[in-house]
Amino acid sequence: MSETPDFGLYLHWPFCAAKCPYCDFNSHVRARIDEALWKQAFLAEIRRVRVETGPRVLKSIFLGGGTPSLMSPELVDALLQASKDAWAWSNDIEITLEANPTSIEAERFAGYRDAGVNRVSLGVQALREKDLRLLGRLHSVEEALQGLQTARDTFERVSFDLIYARQYQTLDQWDAELREALSFDPDHLSLYQLTIEPETAFGKRFDAGALPGLPDEDTGADMYERTQEICEAHGLHAYEVSNHAKTGAESRHNMLYWQQQDWAGIGPGAHGRLTIDEVRYATETHLSPESWLAAVKDQGDGTSVKNTLDRQGQLGELLLLGLRVTDGISTERLARLGWDQNCRAVVSMLDDKFIEIVNDRLCATAKGRPVLNAIISQML
Amino acid sequence: MTPLSNIRNFSIVAHIDHGKSTLADRLIQSTNTVADRDMKEQLLDSMDIERERGITIKANTVRIDYKAADGQDYVLNLIDTPGHVDFAYEVSRSMRAVEGSLLVVDSTQGVEAQTLANVYQAIDADHEIVPVLNKIDLPASEPERVAEQIEDVIGIDATDALLVSAKSGIGIPETLEAIVQRLPAPDGNEDAPLKAMLVDSWYDAYLGVIVLIRVIDGRLKKGEKVKFMSNDSIHHVDRIGVFRPEMENVDSLGPGEIGFLTASIKQVRDTRVGDTITHQRNEVEPLPGFKPAQPVVFCGLFPVDSAEFEDLRDAIEKLALNDASFSFEMETSAALGFGFRCGFLGLLHLEVIRDRIEREYNIELITTAPSVIYHVYMKDGTQIDLHNPADMPDVTLVDHIEEPRIKATILVPDDYLGDVLKLCQDRRGIQLDLTYAGSRAMAVYDLPLNEVVFDFYDRLKSVTKGYASFDYQMEGYRQDNLVKMSVLVNEEPVDALSMMVHRDRAEQRGRAMCEKLKDLIPRHMFKIPIQAAIGGKVIARETLSALRKDVTAKCYGGDATRKKKLLEKQKAGKKKMRQFGKVDIPQEAFISALKMDG
């Protein structure tokens, strides 16, 4: 008998003012959005999922996107209220909203706070004007910094994102930019190496040979190493591959994913993982905003995929996500899912110090973490 | 029955793209040999690969009925021949079956290397030659200059050259008249015992082997028993006919006529091109025959998926049924598993066969580096034909090694001559001749075939922006200082990458090879030494550093599903790699590593 997993809720707002060229998330640009219609659909889905999960205690809510800071505070308030009616909120519930740091959006911050949001994650992405243009961002550096200030005045917890290994960026430039970011004394930073995803505007340009100046693998690796050193020296430890926080300031919601707890995914293209009567389910909803709306309205259910995950499937996901966390995965939990500690791949990677077992937890070492994909593909 | 005096047998010789197939199409069309609705471009090229690449691989034949200006009915037999050097043997034997040639030269380009090679074969076969200047409707056409060039370079009279645009149909009636007026009628005696030449043969799934013949003397009728004189085999002729270009049955073929017979023959190998055919009980003086085509370029073909080995065997056997010039034997490689060592007439032939296996039989292949046959003379006086560098005997037992050489003819605008000479020099060439005709230079070089088989033609095209033309003939063997260079990846020898090189170039080639492999092999979780060695001595070394960064930057709730799919896709991609010890080497490395850039 295993203990009941922690439980969180992910709400996906699929709209953006403009699509960024590097982004392969499920985001769409629409001229007009009928908030009333969306509100209805979200509320209906919250009620439906509540029936599926039964009574649970919500540890966190995450409003992601797209750009959820394009929602009106009234809509956010209605969604949060509905979630509170459906499930009990834990006393220390974390409610995060992703926001873009434009001045228009910053004006809504107070409204979000009043609705219950206690943490924001700001898509700052770069502290260099030219790079913001290259990344297709709609805000300026100054606007972003003002947005950051407003956020810190408004919310208990603020994190922001930066993208590095950008076109034409050198190691020294990134070093200086990161130190500048740390000078604002954030307690949480998400630092992502720019990844060229297929089917994005950058992906197409890359394939056509029209995306010059990207750092090579070695420079990317140097930047990653430097990032770890600088953040560590500033008291922000790397608790995950791309996430750095002061102790206690880690994103509790994201830990639900990495530690393979339970979460419900609501909204177009949202994924969920739910344990119901000891069976683990992987759920997905319809990807396009219109087909999701139609499914909710006509069939009373936005779900497009609901698969059970057997032990092997669960083990795969646990390794895939759990090794991203510095703290690693409990070997006892891995063993329960049928993990073989003595298989050749594991033994050889333990010998080569790509992975280690510390205090009954399997972790990627500092040497292993930058090549985690290669490690995981050998373990699966 | 057509009297001998009203038969004309001819071929068309031309450089690739000079309009040979288009001219053939027009001759067929304007004589209503084929109904307009059945007409398609390159009518005589029946294989997909022939149409796609715009080349002719197999000789094809068509019989054209033509009413000439003199009011008489003529039969014109056209044998369309391949233009590429790899298929030169097809040209030479087709030439023996006809009395005349149309020499087609693009009047915007002038004489090219293949024009020369093919026209000399026509001259060797005592052909009457009618020059045809094609594409005269194009603004860049220079018929006078090109006619002069034909006289200067080839040495035949071009004052009465025909002015033609096959594409727009200009000069076609004049060409048909010239065939009748200027080409000779065949000789032959209807009353003499049957003597026919076996010109070519190929396999047809319904009819068995189809034999293309040219009757010299006598008459062949359906139902008769014939003898193939090379092996005294007797065959019952169950069908004879002509090509229009579809097969059309006739009752008999007389002197001077070209047509086909079928006789329930199962394999192309049972027929020998150049053979003499007569009636069962006759004895006639046999024709001189042709030298069979010998493969000169060898490489290994291995299935990417080792489970497809039997399918590959099946495909190769079927292709060989119809191509006696293509040889194969089973080969095992430590690295690549089971496959075949195959011999080809040249690189184009290799590419054509490889494409056909991949396309018609749907088998993905790994092709190892092409090699030539080395004559290895041992100290004990024996001699070995070395087809595969992996089979090189212990060097201490070897006395000396000889390699095949070619005589290469290259025509190039003089602006690019310097680059061409440098390329030939780099490939250990010896200049035999250098002459000019107008603004074009003709360089003749003695070159080692092994320096040419790989990418010489690609390099030549690239240094001359496609303006050079190239042709070659085999010139026998010569001794040189040749050694086997092996390649070690992570200390393990990779036999499929070993090659024969000249000692003086070994270090340079070794370095280039290691550098190439360093780029072609993906980084692994450990560093990998890549070495080139002669015997036990390492002559070049590179180190592929360990993988430093391979981790997904963003991975949240919905990404597990996506990422799992991605890893599965990567695993499928690994199938395209071959494992050597702990190292995965991608397929394309086996070919790409050997291409030389400089």
Side-chain angles (χ1 to χ4, degrees):
Chain A
M1 188 68 208
S2 49
E3 73 266 30
T4 314
D6 288 346
F7 177 59
L9 172 65
Y10 176 73
L11 295 166
H12 188 82
W13 182 252
F15 301 110
C16 284
K19 182 102 187 157
C20 297
Y22 54 86
C23 172
D24 73 337
F25 276 40
N26 184 29
S27 58
H28 305 263
V29 179
R30 296 286 183 271
R32 214 189 131 264
I33 298 151
D34 185 345
E35 269 206 354
L37 212 59
W38 281 87
K39 178 173 147 188
Q40 258 181 1
F42 270 110
L43 297 186
E45 281 288 271
I46 290 172
R47 285 191 297 270
R48 175 185 65 76
V49 176
R50 165 62 179 80
V51 174
E52 259 181 57
T53 61
R56 303 273 301 255
V57 177
L58 269 179
K59 294 257 182 178
S60 78
I61 300 174
F62 195 102
L63 293 132
T67 311
S69 54
L70 294 177
M71 287 195 261
S72 68
E74 294 71 32
L75 178 56
V76 172
D77 182 60
L79 300 189
L80 294 182
Q81 202 51 55
S83 75
K84 196 173 190 175
D85 295 343
W87 299 281
W89 280 8
S90 75
N91 291 334
D92 59 348
I93 189 167
E94 174 189 280
I95 301 177
T96 308
L97 178 123
E98 281 182 329
N100 275 340
T102 70
S103 49
I104 305 164
E105 284 157 282
E107 285 172 14
R108 290 196 279 265
F109 284 177
Y112 296 143
R113 180 199 54 209
D114 296 343
V117 173
N118 55 26
R119 181 175 181 272
V120 288
S121 170
L122 286 177
V124 172
Q125 315 308 12
L127 296 175
R128 299 288 176 266
E129 217 60 71
K130 191 170 149 257
D131 294 64
L132 287 173
R133 299 289 87 77
L134 282 173
L135 293 171
R137 302 295 294 176
L138 300 176
H139 54 85
S140 64
V141 174
E142 199 196 334
E143 223 179 340
L145 295 181
Q146 276 169 4
L148 179 62
Q149 192 51 53
T150 311
R152 291 158 71 116
D153 294 344
T154 313
F155 299 100
E156 295 162 41
R157 295 163 64 200
V158 176
S159 171
F160 63 93
D161 295 359
L162 292 175
I163 294 175
Y164 67 96
R166 306 185 302 245
Q167 280 177 280
Y168 308 110
Q169 195 179 34
T170 65
L171 178 61
D172 287 346
Q173 286 171 353
W174 168 236
D175 182 306
E177 190 175 336
L178 178 57
R179 287 177 196 278
E180 205 175 305
L182 286 161
S183 72
F184 301 112
D185 192 29
D187 57 11
H188 190 285
L189 279 179
S190 299
L191 304 170
Y192 300 112
Q193 177 156 351
L194 177 62
T195 309
I196 307 305
E197 302 286 355
E199 302 305 319
T200 61
F202 269 8
K204 284 167 195 163
R205 278 170 59 189
F206 183 79
D207 289 342
L211 200 65
L214 289 173
D216 60 16
E217 184 192 318
D218 286 319
T219 312
D222 290 343
M223 288 180 171
Y224 177 84
E225 277 170 19
R226 186 74 63 89
T227 303
Q228 312 308 305
E229 289 162 21
I230 295 176
C231 287
E232 196 65 45
H234 283 74
L236 267 72
H237 65 274
Y239 70 103
E240 192 258 359
V241 170
S242 304
N243 282 281
H244 305 259
K246 289 184 182 162
T247 304
E250 297 88 354
S251 159
R252 276 173 259 155
H253 187 85
N254 288 336
M255 287 301 276
L256 293 178
Y257 303 145
W258 296 323
Q259 295 181 331
Q260 287 293 294
Q261 305 292 314
D262 276 11
W263 69 94
I266 293 179
H271 290 236
R273 293 289 184 276
L274 291 170
T275 310
I276 300 167
D277 296 333
E278 313 254 327
V279 179
R280 189 159 174 85
Y281 294 94
T283 64
E284 286 174 42
T285 52
H286 292 280
L287 205 55
S288 95
E290 290 74 20
S291 53
W292 179 81
L293 262 189
V296 174
K297 191 161 160 273
D298 303 339
Q299 284 121 51
D301 191 345
T303 310
S304 61
V305 176
K306 186 174 181 181
N307 291 326
T308 56
L309 280 173
D310 61 9
R311 283 203 317 164
Q312 203 194 340
Q314 291 178 48
L315 175 63
E317 295 200 339
L318 184 59
L319 287 168
L320 212 64
L321 291 152
L323 285 176
R324 298 180 65 83
V325 182
T326 307
D327 197 27
I329 315 164
S330 136
T331 49
E332 184 260 337
R333 187 173 171 199
L334 285 167
R336 254 188 286 142
L337 293 173
W339 182 63
D340 178 11
Q341 190 177 325
N342 298 313
C343 84
R344 239 180 59 193
V346 172
V347 171
S348 116
M349 282 188 295
L350 281 168
D351 282 351
D352 292 338
K353 305 255 185 316
F354 287 111
I355 50 176
E356 60 188 354
I357 295 174
V358 184
N359 300 329
D360 295 323
R361 296 186 75 83
L362 174 71
C363 312
T365 61
K367 172 187 167 191
R369 212 166 304 124
V371 292
L372 203 51
N373 287 354
I375 292 175
I376 290 164
S377 84
Q378 295 208 24
M379 292 232 254
L380 289 181
Chain B
M1 232 158 282
T2 319
L4 273 173
S5 58
N6 284 23
I7 296 176
R8 297 292 183 274
N9 297 323
F10 69 104
S11 65
I12 305 179
V13 296
H15 188 75
I16 187 164
D17 287 341
H18 280 200
K20 177 166 62 81
S21 295
T22 313
L23 179 61
D25 287 352
R26 269 326 142 256
L27 296 177
I28 292 167
Q29 211 174 12
S30 68
T31 52
N32 298 317
T33 306
V34 171
D36 277 347
R37 67 186 151 81
D38 295 330
M39 196 64 206
K40 51 189 172 184
E41 278 186 32
Q42 286 177 254
L43 191 75
L44 296 181
D45 292 341
S46 50
M47 280 187 255
D48 283 349
I49 290 187
E50 291 185 315
R51 283 221 181 80
E52 249 165 58
R53 295 189 170 219
I55 53 171
T56 305
I57 295 165
K58 293 291 285 182
N60 286 289
T61 306
V62 63
R63 174 170 164 147
I64 297 168
D65 292 329
Y66 172 61
K67 194 182 222 14
D70 61 10
Q72 296 194 47
D73 290 317
Y74 288 84
V75 167
L76 315 180
N77 289 306
L78 162 63
I79 298 187
D80 186 25
T81 55
H84 193 274
V85 54
D86 281 9
F87 306 104
Y89 77 106
E90 293 256 7
V91 180
S92 93
R93 68 196 194 198
S94 303
M95 296 279 182
R96 303 279 163 190
V98 299
E99 288 81 28
S101 286
L102 301 181
L103 167 63
V104 177
V105 181
D106 183 335
S107 64
T108 68
Q109 304 278 330
V111 173
E112 297 286 358
Q114 284 164 24
T115 322
L116 283 179
N118 291 337
V119 81
Y120 289 140
Q121 299 221 36
I123 292 168
D124 279 352
D126 284 332
H127 280 193
E128 192 62 45
I129 294 166
V130 175
V132 175
L133 303 179
N134 195 19
K135 307 192 188 179
I136 55 143
D137 57 335
L138 295 183
S141 170
E142 295 178 274
E144 293 84 14
R145 186 185 64 80
V146 173
E148 213 171 289
Q149 198 195 13
I150 290 173
E151 296 189 346
D152 285 354
V153 179
I154 306 173
I156 60 173
D157 184 5
T159 41
D160 291 327
L162 299 167
L163 301 180
V164 168
S165 166
K167 205 168 171 202
S168 27
I170 299 167
I172 300 302
E174 291 78 2
T175 306
L176 286 162
E177 276 304 306
I179 291 167
V180 168
Q181 301 302 331
R182 290 163 64 178
L183 297 184
D187 291 329
N189 181 357
E190 169 133 26
D191 301 322
L194 175 67
K195 187 195 245 186
M197 179 196 291
L198 197 163
V199 181
D200 197 4
S201 63
W202 59 93
Y203 184 78
D204 178 281
Y206 299 104
L207 302 172
V209 174
I210 296 170
V211 180
L212 179 66
I213 57 166
R214 156 73 197 268
V215 179
I216 313 286
D217 291 321
R219 179 163 290 277
L220 173 67
K221 297 195 184 94
K222 186 179 160 183
E224 289 178 334
K225 289 210 161 141
V226 294
K227 178 166 69 180
F228 289 4
M229 291 185 69
S230 65
N231 56 7
D232 278 339
S233 60
I234 306 295
H235 302 276
H236 180 267
V237 176
D238 40 43
R239 185 194 297 257
I240 52 180
V242 295
F243 295 97
R244 285 185 177 279
E246 297 303 317
M247 290 166 73
E248 182 181 303
N249 294 345
V250 298
D251 293 329
S252 71
L253 289 171
E257 291 195 288
I258 292 172
F260 68 87
L261 68 80
T262 66
S264 307
I265 301 168
K266 290 199 177 57
Q267 283 197 49
V268 169
R269 281 167 202 274
D270 297 334
T271 61
R272 193 166 152 191
V273 296
D275 203 351
T276 309
I277 300 170
T278 187
H279 283 128
Q280 185 178 2
R281 274 182 258 289
N282 281 350
E283 284 304 327
V284 293
E285 179 73 17
L287 297 158
F290 313 134
K291 233 170 67 187
Q294 291 292 347
V296 291
V297 176
F298 290 79
C299 76
L301 297 180
F302 293 84
V304 169
D305 179 352
S306 53
E308 288 186 329
F309 172 71
E310 285 304 326
D311 299 334
L312 177 59
R313 182 204 294 279
D314 189 51
I316 284 179
E317 281 174 356
K318 282 205 177 112
L319 288 173
L321 274 183
N322 216 2
D323 187 346
S325 56
F326 158 55
S327 72
F328 64 96
E329 59 184 46
M330 212 184 116
E331 180 182 9
T332 30
S333 150
L336 303 173
F338 290 109
F340 293 91
R341 189 86 190 158
C342 300
F344 305 92
L345 299 168
L347 272 192
L348 179 68
H349 189 210
L350 184 161
E351 279 174 33
V352 165
I353 297 269
R354 189 191 59 201
D355 283 3
R356 291 187 66 185
I357 293 172
E358 293 203 322
R359 199 179 313 183
E360 294 171 27
Y361 297 89
N362 215 359
I363 300 169
E364 261 194 280
L365 293 174
I366 296 178
T367 315
T368 64
S371 170
V372 300
I373 305 175
Y374 295 91
H375 290 169
V376 180
Y377 291 87
M378 308 298 288
K379 284 183 175 148
D380 65 7
T382 57
Q383 187 235 307
I384 297 167
D385 280 358
L386 184 73
H387 295 199
N388 185 348
D391 300 333
M392 175 74 183
D394 183 348
V395 283
T396 58
L397 305 174
V398 173
D399 186 69
H400 69 279
I401 303 174
E402 290 183 352
E403 64 176 338
R405 313 267 314 186
I406 58 166
K407 184 174 149 190
T409 305
I410 298 163
L411 273 93
V412 62
D414 47 18
D415 294 354
Y416 301 106
L417 182 64
D419 298 317
V420 170
L421 298 185
K422 181 172 183 305
L423 176 66
C424 291
Q425 236 43 66
D426 285 347
R427 301 298 171 96
R428 298 192 280 132
I430 300 163
Q431 197 181 89
L432 301 178
D433 195 13
L434 180 61
T435 50
Y436 286 89
S439 63
R440 287 176 81 79
M442 182 171 85
V444 182
Y445 263 84
D446 173 334
L447 280 158
L449 180 62
N450 90 331
E451 299 281 350
V452 172
V453 286
F454 203 76
D455 61 346
F456 181 82
Y457 195 44
D458 288 344
R459 294 292 309 151
L460 181 68
K461 276 193 287 193
S462 104
V463 301
T464 63
K465 301 197 167 55
Y467 283 113
S469 62
F470 166 69
D471 205 274
Y472 70 86
Q473 61 198 73
M474 301 297 298
E475 284 285 285
Y477 276 75
R478 192 179 318 145
Q479 183 181 341
D480 217 325
N481 189 3
L482 298 159
V483 290
K484 175 185 162 183
M485 183 174 88
S486 353
V487 173
L488 296 93
V489 175
N490 206 25
E491 319 287 345
E492 304 235 10
V494 180
D495 57 357
L497 287 172
S498 60
M499 61 194 294
M500 301 295 297
V501 291
H502 192 272
R503 185 66 190 84
D504 294 349
R505 304 201 165 235
E507 255 134 81
Q508 189 197 336
R509 294 292 291 273
R511 262 201 312 277
M513 169 87 99
C514 291
E515 279 166 23
K516 267 271 170 67
L517 283 172
K518 191 178 154 190
D519 290 339
L520 289 163
I521 300 173
R523 286 184 175 188
H524 285 55
M525 286 170 79
F526 43 90
K527 66 173 190 236
I528 300 169
I530 300 167
Q531 296 157 299
I534 295 171
K537 187 176 169 240
V538 172
I539 54 167
R541 182 194 163 102
E542 289 282 336
T543 304
L544 175 62
S545 27
L547 181 69
R548 286 192 59 199
K549 190 103 184 6
D550 181 16
V551 59
T552 311
K554 271 191 180 183
C555 203
Y556 295 101
D559 297 317
T561 317
R562 260 186 354 160
K563 215 183 134 193
K564 233 173 16 190
K565 280 187 192 146
L566 199 75
L567 286 174
E568 276 158 20
K569 221 166 103 185
Q570 277 171 1
K571 271 206 168 146
K574 274 206 167 177
K575 266 187 141 181
K576 297 212 164 195
M577 310 251 227
R578 287 285 161 154
Q579 237 189 351
F580 294 83
K582 286 161 73 184
V583 181
D584 294 314
I585 304 184
Q587 274 171 57
E588 76 258 19
F590 296 98
I591 286 279
S592 310
L594 294 143
K595 288 199 177 166
M596 290 174 286
D597 288 328

